[in-house]
Amino acid sequence: MKISVLGAGGWGTTLSILLHSNENDVILWEFNPEYAKTLTDYRENFYYLPKIKIPKEIQITNDLVKAVTDRELIVIATPTQYIRDSFKELEDFDFKDTIILNVSKGIEIGTLKLVNEIIADVLKKVNADKISCLSGPSHAEEVSRKIPTVVVCANPDIEIAKMIQATFSNDYFRVYTSTDVAGVELGGALKNVIAIAAGITDGAGFGDNTKAALMTRGINEIMRLGLKLGAQKETFFGLSGIGDLIVTCSSKHSRNRFVGEEIGKGKKLKEVLADMKMVAEGVSTAKSIHQLSEKLKIEMPICEQVYQILFNDKDPIQATNELMVRALKEES
Ligand SMILES: NC(=O)c1ccc[n+]([C@@H]2O[C@H](COP(=O)([O-])OP(=O)(O)OC[C@H]3O[C@@H](n4cnc5c(N)ncnc54)[C@H](O)[C@@H]3O)[C@@H](O)[C@H]2O)c1
Protein backbone atom coordinates (compact mmCIF):
# COMPACT_ATOMS: atom_id res chain seq x y z
CA MET A 1 0.00 0.00 0.00
CA LYS A 2 0.94 3.64 -0.37
CA ILE A 3 1.11 4.87 3.20
CA SER A 4 2.08 8.14 4.88
CA VAL A 5 2.84 8.57 8.55
CA LEU A 6 2.32 12.11 9.83
CA GLY A 7 4.57 12.70 12.81
CA ALA A 8 8.19 11.59 13.16
CA GLY A 9 8.29 11.14 16.91
CA GLY A 10 9.25 7.80 18.39
CA TRP A 11 5.95 6.18 17.49
CA GLY A 12 5.57 7.54 13.96
CA THR A 13 9.15 6.54 13.14
CA THR A 14 8.67 3.05 14.58
CA LEU A 15 5.46 2.46 12.63
CA SER A 16 7.06 3.75 9.42
CA ILE A 17 9.85 1.20 9.78
CA LEU A 18 7.36 -1.56 10.59
CA LEU A 19 5.15 -0.68 7.60
CA HIS A 20 8.19 -0.53 5.35
CA SER A 21 9.33 -3.96 6.52
CA ASN A 22 5.80 -5.20 5.75
CA GLU A 23 6.55 -4.17 2.13
CA ASN A 24 4.58 -0.95 1.89
CA ASP A 25 5.62 2.28 0.17
CA VAL A 26 6.09 4.68 3.11
CA ILE A 27 6.41 8.47 3.45
CA LEU A 28 7.23 9.93 6.89
CA TRP A 29 6.27 13.58 7.52
CA GLU A 30 8.10 15.64 10.16
CA PHE A 31 6.73 19.08 11.09
CA ASN A 32 10.10 20.72 11.71
CA PRO A 33 11.91 21.34 8.36
CA GLU A 34 15.41 21.27 9.87
CA TYR A 35 14.73 18.07 11.73
CA ALA A 36 13.23 16.53 8.57
CA LYS A 37 16.58 17.26 6.89
CA THR A 38 18.51 15.76 9.80
CA LEU A 39 16.40 12.61 9.58
CA THR A 40 16.99 12.42 5.82
CA ASP A 41 20.74 13.00 6.13
CA TYR A 42 21.47 10.70 9.06
CA ARG A 43 18.65 8.13 8.80
CA GLU A 44 18.39 8.10 12.57
CA ASN A 45 15.88 9.84 14.86
CA PHE A 46 18.40 10.99 17.47
CA TYR A 47 15.86 12.81 19.65
CA TYR A 48 12.95 10.42 19.73
CA LEU A 49 14.18 6.96 18.71
CA PRO A 50 17.97 6.76 18.98
CA LYS A 51 20.03 3.87 17.63
CA ILE A 52 17.35 2.65 15.20
CA LYS A 53 18.17 2.85 11.48
CA ILE A 54 15.52 4.37 9.20
CA PRO A 55 15.68 2.49 5.86
CA LYS A 56 16.61 4.67 2.90
CA GLU A 57 13.45 3.61 1.00
CA ILE A 58 11.28 5.55 3.50
CA GLN A 59 10.83 9.04 2.05
CA ILE A 60 11.11 11.74 4.71
CA THR A 61 9.47 15.09 4.02
CA ASN A 62 8.33 18.32 5.61
CA ASP A 63 5.89 18.95 2.75
CA LEU A 64 2.44 18.08 4.09
CA VAL A 65 0.56 18.21 0.78
CA LYS A 66 3.15 15.98 -0.84
CA ALA A 67 2.83 13.59 2.11
CA VAL A 68 -0.94 13.17 1.76
CA THR A 69 -1.30 13.18 -2.03
CA ASP A 70 -2.21 9.89 -3.67
CA ARG A 71 -2.00 7.77 -0.49
CA GLU A 72 -4.20 4.82 0.44
CA LEU A 73 -3.59 4.99 4.18
CA ILE A 74 -2.59 7.97 6.32
CA VAL A 75 -1.39 7.34 9.86
CA ILE A 76 -1.66 10.25 12.28
CA ALA A 77 1.10 10.07 14.91
CA THR A 78 1.25 13.73 15.91
CA PRO A 79 0.76 14.58 19.60
CA THR A 80 -2.92 15.32 20.25
CA GLN A 81 -2.64 19.01 21.17
CA TYR A 82 -0.77 19.77 17.91
CA ILE A 83 -3.13 17.96 15.51
CA ARG A 84 -5.60 20.79 14.87
CA ASP A 85 -2.94 23.40 14.06
CA SER A 86 -0.63 21.05 12.18
CA PHE A 87 -3.25 19.94 9.68
CA LYS A 88 -5.21 23.17 9.13
CA GLU A 89 -3.71 23.58 5.67
CA LEU A 90 -5.38 20.29 4.66
CA GLU A 91 -8.86 21.57 5.56
CA ASP A 92 -10.04 21.46 1.93
CA PHE A 93 -7.81 18.66 0.72
CA ASP A 94 -9.88 15.95 -0.97
CA PHE A 95 -8.86 12.68 0.69
CA LYS A 96 -11.31 10.67 -1.45
CA ASP A 97 -11.33 7.12 -0.06
CA THR A 98 -8.08 7.34 1.89
CA ILE A 99 -8.23 5.54 5.23
CA ILE A 100 -7.11 7.66 8.16
CA LEU A 101 -5.65 5.88 11.15
CA ASN A 102 -5.07 7.65 14.45
CA VAL A 103 -2.32 6.22 16.66
CA SER A 104 -2.06 9.19 19.04
CA LYS A 105 -3.47 9.10 22.55
CA GLY A 106 -5.13 12.10 24.13
CA ILE A 107 -8.12 14.40 24.53
CA GLU A 108 -7.96 17.94 23.18
CA ILE A 109 -7.90 20.67 25.82
CA GLY A 110 -10.85 23.04 25.47
CA THR A 111 -12.93 21.12 22.90
CA LEU A 112 -12.64 17.90 24.98
CA LYS A 113 -12.62 15.92 21.74
CA LEU A 114 -11.06 12.54 21.07
CA VAL A 115 -8.53 12.36 18.25
CA ASN A 116 -10.96 10.81 15.73
CA GLU A 117 -13.26 13.79 16.39
CA ILE A 118 -10.46 16.34 15.97
CA ILE A 119 -9.57 14.72 12.64
CA ALA A 120 -13.20 14.86 11.46
CA ASP A 121 -13.30 18.54 12.45
CA VAL A 122 -10.07 19.58 10.77
CA LEU A 123 -9.93 17.42 7.65
CA LYS A 124 -13.31 18.42 6.28
CA LYS A 125 -13.10 16.22 3.20
CA VAL A 126 -12.16 13.02 4.95
CA ASN A 127 -14.84 10.36 4.76
CA ALA A 128 -15.78 10.06 8.48
CA ASP A 129 -16.38 6.30 8.10
CA LYS A 130 -12.73 5.88 7.18
CA ILE A 131 -11.37 7.29 10.46
CA SER A 132 -9.88 4.48 12.50
CA CYS A 133 -7.55 4.06 15.45
CA LEU A 134 -4.86 1.70 16.66
CA SER A 135 -3.85 1.43 20.29
CA GLY A 136 -2.60 -0.93 22.99
CA PRO A 137 0.47 -1.71 25.08
CA SER A 138 3.15 -0.73 22.56
CA HIS A 139 6.21 1.27 23.57
CA ALA A 140 8.09 2.45 20.49
CA GLU A 141 11.36 1.51 22.22
CA GLU A 142 10.25 -2.14 22.18
CA VAL A 143 8.36 -2.38 18.86
CA SER A 144 11.36 -0.83 17.07
CA ARG A 145 13.45 -3.69 18.51
CA LYS A 146 10.92 -6.22 17.26
CA ILE A 147 9.84 -7.24 20.74
CA PRO A 148 6.54 -9.17 20.47
CA THR A 149 3.69 -6.70 20.85
CA VAL A 150 -0.10 -7.04 20.57
CA VAL A 151 -2.49 -4.15 19.88
CA VAL A 152 -6.03 -3.50 18.62
CA CYS A 153 -7.32 -1.40 15.72
CA ALA A 154 -10.87 -0.12 15.45
CA ASN A 155 -13.23 1.12 12.79
CA PRO A 156 -17.04 0.96 12.82
CA ASP A 157 -16.71 -1.05 9.59
CA ILE A 158 -15.01 -4.31 10.54
CA GLU A 159 -13.76 -4.79 6.95
CA ILE A 160 -11.68 -1.61 7.24
CA ALA A 161 -10.38 -2.73 10.64
CA LYS A 162 -9.40 -6.08 9.05
CA MET A 163 -7.55 -4.29 6.26
CA ILE A 164 -5.54 -2.29 8.81
CA GLN A 165 -4.94 -5.47 10.81
CA ALA A 166 -3.48 -7.20 7.76
CA THR A 167 -1.33 -4.19 6.86
CA PHE A 168 0.34 -3.88 10.27
CA SER A 169 0.53 -7.49 11.48
CA ASN A 170 3.73 -9.52 11.25
CA ASP A 171 5.64 -11.99 13.42
CA TYR A 172 6.40 -9.43 16.15
CA PHE A 173 3.36 -7.17 15.86
CA ARG A 174 -0.06 -8.79 16.19
CA VAL A 175 -3.20 -6.72 15.65
CA TYR A 176 -6.73 -7.57 16.82
CA THR A 177 -9.81 -5.78 15.49
CA SER A 178 -12.67 -3.91 17.13
CA THR A 179 -15.53 -1.68 16.02
CA ASP A 180 -15.40 0.48 19.18
CA VAL A 181 -13.37 3.55 18.13
CA ALA A 182 -14.40 5.65 21.15
CA GLY A 183 -13.58 2.87 23.63
CA VAL A 184 -10.17 2.15 22.09
CA GLU A 185 -9.23 5.86 21.98
CA LEU A 186 -10.49 6.58 25.50
CA GLY A 187 -8.53 3.73 27.07
CA GLY A 188 -5.34 4.95 25.38
CA ALA A 189 -5.87 8.56 26.42
CA LEU A 190 -6.89 8.03 30.02
CA LYS A 191 -4.34 5.43 31.01
CA ASN A 192 -1.71 8.15 30.73
CA VAL A 193 -3.32 10.07 33.60
CA ILE A 194 -3.48 6.96 35.78
CA ALA A 195 0.18 6.30 34.86
CA ILE A 196 1.11 9.71 36.26
CA ALA A 197 -0.64 8.67 39.49
CA ALA A 198 1.28 5.37 39.46
CA GLY A 199 4.54 7.26 38.99
CA ILE A 200 3.70 9.58 41.86
CA THR A 201 3.29 6.58 44.15
CA ASP A 202 6.68 5.24 42.96
CA GLY A 203 8.34 8.59 43.62
CA ALA A 204 6.68 8.97 47.02
CA GLY A 205 7.95 5.53 48.03
CA PHE A 206 4.65 3.67 48.22
CA GLY A 207 4.50 0.02 47.26
CA ASP A 208 3.09 -2.58 44.89
CA ASN A 209 -0.25 -2.67 46.73
CA THR A 210 -0.80 1.00 46.01
CA LYS A 211 0.00 0.63 42.33
CA ALA A 212 -2.26 -2.39 41.88
CA ALA A 213 -5.05 -0.45 43.57
CA LEU A 214 -4.51 2.49 41.23
CA MET A 215 -4.63 0.28 38.16
CA THR A 216 -7.83 -1.53 39.14
CA ARG A 217 -9.66 1.52 40.46
CA GLY A 218 -8.22 3.45 37.51
CA ILE A 219 -9.78 1.17 34.88
CA ASN A 220 -13.05 1.51 36.78
CA GLU A 221 -12.84 5.28 36.45
CA ILE A 222 -11.91 5.10 32.76
CA MET A 223 -14.82 2.75 32.11
CA ARG A 224 -17.30 4.99 33.89
CA LEU A 225 -16.43 7.84 31.57
CA GLY A 226 -16.30 5.54 28.54
CA LEU A 227 -19.78 4.13 29.12
CA LYS A 228 -21.15 7.65 29.36
CA LEU A 229 -19.51 8.47 26.02
CA GLY A 230 -20.98 5.43 24.28
CA ALA A 231 -18.00 3.07 24.44
CA GLN A 232 -18.40 -0.68 25.01
CA LYS A 233 -17.60 -2.09 28.45
CA GLU A 234 -15.56 -5.08 27.12
CA THR A 235 -13.14 -2.76 25.31
CA PHE A 236 -11.79 -1.58 28.68
CA PHE A 237 -10.85 -5.16 29.62
CA GLY A 238 -8.88 -5.54 26.39
CA LEU A 239 -5.53 -4.44 24.97
CA SER A 240 -6.35 -0.73 24.68
CA GLY A 241 -7.85 -0.69 28.18
CA ILE A 242 -6.36 -2.73 30.98
CA GLY A 243 -3.52 -3.91 28.67
CA ASP A 244 -2.20 -0.42 28.00
CA LEU A 245 -2.86 0.63 31.58
CA ILE A 246 -0.68 -2.19 32.93
CA VAL A 247 2.26 -1.40 30.65
CA THR A 248 2.10 2.36 31.20
CA CYS A 249 1.84 2.15 34.97
CA SER A 250 4.71 -0.30 35.31
CA SER A 251 7.16 0.35 32.47
CA LYS A 252 10.53 2.06 32.63
CA HIS A 253 9.77 3.43 29.15
CA SER A 254 6.62 5.33 30.18
CA ARG A 255 7.13 9.11 30.13
CA ASN A 256 3.85 9.65 31.93
CA ARG A 257 4.86 7.34 34.77
CA PHE A 258 8.24 9.12 34.79
CA VAL A 259 6.61 12.56 35.09
CA GLY A 260 4.63 11.27 38.07
CA GLU A 261 7.71 9.72 39.66
CA GLU A 262 9.64 12.99 39.53
CA ILE A 263 6.68 14.84 41.03
CA GLY A 264 6.34 12.18 43.72
CA LYS A 265 10.00 12.87 44.60
CA GLY A 266 9.17 16.54 45.08
CA LYS A 267 9.83 18.25 41.72
CA LYS A 268 7.41 20.74 40.17
CA LEU A 269 5.69 19.95 36.87
CA LYS A 270 7.42 22.82 35.05
CA GLU A 271 10.87 21.58 36.08
CA VAL A 272 10.09 18.02 34.96
CA LEU A 273 8.72 19.07 31.58
CA ALA A 274 11.59 21.48 30.96
CA ASP A 275 14.00 18.53 30.97
CA MET A 276 11.92 16.38 28.60
CA LYS A 277 12.02 16.44 24.82
CA MET A 278 9.36 13.79 24.36
CA VAL A 279 5.68 14.48 24.82
CA ALA A 280 3.88 13.22 27.96
CA GLU A 281 0.28 13.27 26.76
CA GLY A 282 -1.10 12.48 30.23
CA VAL A 283 -0.35 16.01 31.45
CA SER A 284 -2.70 17.71 28.98
CA THR A 285 -5.17 14.83 29.18
CA ALA A 286 -5.38 15.40 32.96
CA LYS A 287 -6.55 18.92 32.20
CA SER A 288 -9.13 17.72 29.64
CA ILE A 289 -10.42 15.03 31.98
CA HIS A 290 -10.86 17.53 34.79
CA GLN A 291 -13.09 19.59 32.47
CA LEU A 292 -14.87 16.58 30.98
CA SER A 293 -15.71 14.92 34.30
CA GLU A 294 -17.13 18.21 35.58
CA LYS A 295 -19.15 18.70 32.41
CA LEU A 296 -20.55 15.16 32.43
CA LYS A 297 -20.81 15.03 36.25
CA ILE A 298 -18.81 11.82 36.51
CA GLU A 299 -16.82 11.08 39.61
CA MET A 300 -13.17 10.45 38.64
CA PRO A 301 -11.31 10.73 41.94
CA ILE A 302 -7.86 9.50 40.83
CA CYS A 303 -7.78 11.70 37.71
CA GLU A 304 -8.99 14.65 39.77
CA GLN A 305 -6.20 14.24 42.34
CA VAL A 306 -3.64 14.01 39.52
CA TYR A 307 -5.04 17.25 38.10
CA GLN A 308 -4.81 18.96 41.50
CA ILE A 309 -1.22 17.77 42.01
CA LEU A 310 -0.09 18.84 38.52
CA PHE A 311 -1.87 22.15 38.20
CA ASN A 312 -2.70 23.32 41.73
CA ASP A 313 0.45 22.18 43.52
CA LYS A 314 -1.40 19.80 45.79
CA ASP A 315 0.82 17.68 48.01
CA PRO A 316 0.88 14.07 46.65
CA ILE A 317 0.75 12.59 50.16
CA GLN A 318 -2.32 14.63 51.03
CA ALA A 319 -3.91 13.63 47.68
CA THR A 320 -3.28 9.94 48.41
CA ASN A 321 -4.69 10.33 51.88
CA GLU A 322 -7.84 11.95 50.53
CA LEU A 323 -8.31 9.04 48.11
CA MET A 324 -7.96 6.58 51.00
CA VAL A 325 -10.50 8.20 53.32
CA ARG A 326 -13.26 8.85 50.80
CA ALA A 327 -16.70 7.52 51.72
CA LEU A 328 -16.60 3.71 51.79
CA LYS A 329 -18.54 1.93 49.06
CA GLU A 330 -19.22 -1.31 47.18
CA GLU A 331 -16.57 -2.34 44.68
CA SER A 332 -18.82 -2.28 41.61
N1 LIG B 1 6.18 6.59 21.81
C1 LIG B 1 5.39 5.55 22.01
O1 LIG B 1 5.83 4.50 22.46
C2 LIG B 1 3.93 5.64 21.67
C3 LIG B 1 3.20 4.45 21.54
C4 LIG B 1 1.85 4.53 21.23
C5 LIG B 1 1.26 5.77 21.04
N2 LIG B 1 2.00 6.91 21.17
C6 LIG B 1 1.33 8.18 20.94
O2 LIG B 1 1.78 8.70 19.71
C7 LIG B 1 1.72 10.13 19.73
C8 LIG B 1 3.07 10.67 19.32
O3 LIG B 1 3.97 10.33 20.34
P1 LIG B 1 5.52 10.06 20.11
O4 LIG B 1 5.95 9.23 21.25
O5 LIG B 1 5.78 9.57 18.75
O6 LIG B 1 6.09 11.54 20.28
P2 LIG B 1 7.57 11.99 20.65
O7 LIG B 1 7.56 12.58 22.00
O8 LIG B 1 8.50 10.89 20.38
O9 LIG B 1 7.82 13.14 19.60
C9 LIG B 1 7.13 14.35 19.62
C10 LIG B 1 6.69 14.66 18.22
O10 LIG B 1 5.96 15.88 18.24
C11 LIG B 1 6.42 16.68 17.18
N3 LIG B 1 6.14 18.07 17.49
C12 LIG B 1 6.71 18.85 18.44
N4 LIG B 1 6.16 20.08 18.42
C13 LIG B 1 5.22 20.05 17.44
C14 LIG B 1 4.30 21.01 16.93
N5 LIG B 1 4.24 22.25 17.42
N6 LIG B 1 3.48 20.64 15.93
C15 LIG B 1 3.52 19.39 15.42
N7 LIG B 1 4.37 18.43 15.85
C16 LIG B 1 5.20 18.77 16.86
C17 LIG B 1 7.90 16.36 17.08
O11 LIG B 1 8.41 16.72 15.83
C18 LIG B 1 7.84 14.85 17.23
O12 LIG B 1 7.50 14.26 16.01
C19 LIG B 1 1.32 10.51 21.17
O13 LIG B 1 -0.05 10.75 21.20
C20 LIG B 1 1.64 9.26 21.97
O14 LIG B 1 0.80 9.12 23.10
C21 LIG B 1 3.33 6.88 21.47
Side-chain angles (χ1 to χ4, degrees):
M1 286 182 90
K2 291 191 235 168
I3 304 178
S4 281
V5 178
L6 309 183
W11 195 218
T13 305
T14 296
L15 291 178
S16 299
I17 297 170
L18 178 146
L19 288 164
H20 164 75
S21 75
N22 285 3
E23 299 186 351
N24 296 289
D25 165 14
V26 180
I27 295 180
L28 175 60
W29 172 83
E30 158 60 35
F31 100 108
N32 177 332
E34 281 125 53
Y35 198 54
K37 183 163 181 338
T38 305
L39 293 175
T40 309
D41 291 347
Y42 293 93
R43 293 275 149 193
E44 185 179 335
N45 194 336
F46 299 106
Y47 285 153
Y48 304 113
L49 195 71
K51 302 203 172 95
I52 300 291
K53 192 100 201 109
I54 304 173
K56 63 176 183 337
E57 294 81 11
I58 295 178
Q59 292 180 59
I60 297 165
T61 184
N62 169 247
D63 181 337
L64 195 50
V65 173
K66 177 181 164 196
V68 297
T69 300
D70 190 23
R71 298 276 106 185
E72 293 162 280
L73 173 65
I74 292 177
V75 179
I76 298 201
T78 295
T80 308
Q81 310 304 327
Y82 300 139
I83 290 177
R84 195 173 287 277
D85 282 349
S86 297
F87 304 133
K88 250 190 191 131
E89 69 172 283
L90 300 177
E91 205 174 51
D92 295 319
F93 186 89
D94 188 358
F95 285 87
K96 302 194 178 82
D97 276 339
T98 305
I99 291 166
I100 309 285
L101 177 68
N102 165 47
V103 298
S104 293
K105 297 175 177 174
I107 296 177
E108 194 175 38
I109 295 173
T111 66
L112 309 182
K113 291 193 172 178
L114 290 170
V115 176
N116 75 82
E117 299 169 313
I118 310 172
I119 294 171
D121 262 8
V122 181
L123 308 180
K124 301 238 178 326
K125 294 196 174 159
V126 154
N127 182 344
D129 301 346
K130 306 279 180 189
I131 305 177
S132 322
C133 64
L134 179 139
S135 190
S138 51
H139 286 305
E141 293 85 346
E142 297 191 358
V143 177
S144 61
R145 287 175 171 76
K146 303 192 176 179
I147 289 177
T149 299
V150 183
V151 300
V152 59
C153 73
N155 185 286
D157 178 348
I158 194 70
E159 293 308 319
I160 293 184
K162 281 184 184 169
M163 193 279 287
I164 296 165
Q165 174 183 49
T167 306
F168 280 79
S169 292
N170 59 30
D171 60 356
Y172 64 87
F173 199 74
R174 180 175 170 82
V175 184
Y176 283 83
T177 59
S178 160
T179 53
D180 184 11
V181 175
V184 169
E185 284 199 357
L186 274 166
L190 268 83
K191 56 92 192 181
N192 283 332
V193 183
I194 307 295
I196 294 177
I200 291 172
T201 70
D202 285 338
F206 296 137
D208 298 340
N209 297 352
T210 327
K211 197 181 279 185
L214 274 175
M215 288 194 230
T216 37
R217 294 310 300 167
I219 197 71
N220 209 281
E221 228 169 278
I222 294 173
M223 196 163 63
R224 223 167 18 240
L225 178 72
L227 293 181
K228 186 95 179 180
L229 293 175
Q232 294 159 17
K233 190 170 183 176
E234 314 81 67
T235 305
F236 299 103
F237 298 109
L239 292 157
S240 59
I242 193 72
D244 210 359
L245 187 68
I246 292 170
V247 82
T248 317
C249 288
S250 42
S251 171
K252 62 179 186 296
H253 298 302
S254 167
R255 306 110 190 233
N256 293 288
R257 198 204 60 76
F258 171 79
V259 167
E261 186 171 3
E262 294 299 291
I263 287 171
K265 286 178 187 162
K267 278 198 186 167
K268 296 290 169 220
L269 179 62
K270 261 195 184 151
E271 291 173 71
V272 182
L273 296 184
D275 290 340
M276 278 177 78
K277 194 136 198 80
M278 292 170 173
V279 68
E281 290 267 29
V283 173
S284 33
T285 305
K287 218 177 227 176
S288 304
I289 287 302
H290 168 73
Q291 296 167 351
L292 198 54
S293 61
E294 274 190 349
K295 184 177 155 194
L296 300 176
K297 301 198 176 7
I298 296 177
E299 209 185 0
M300 301 189 70
I302 301 172
C303 291
E304 180 55 23
Q305 293 296 352
V306 170
Y307 172 81
Q308 296 299 341
I309 293 168
L310 295 183
F311 299 106
N312 289 333
D313 261 346
K314 187 164 187 174
D315 173 39
I317 306 291
Q318 188 196 337
T320 312
N321 191 42
E322 284 180 23
L323 284 173
M324 292 302 291
V325 300
R326 295 168 64 237
L328 298 171
K329 45 181 72 176
E330 277 183 32
E331 186 176 27
S332 51

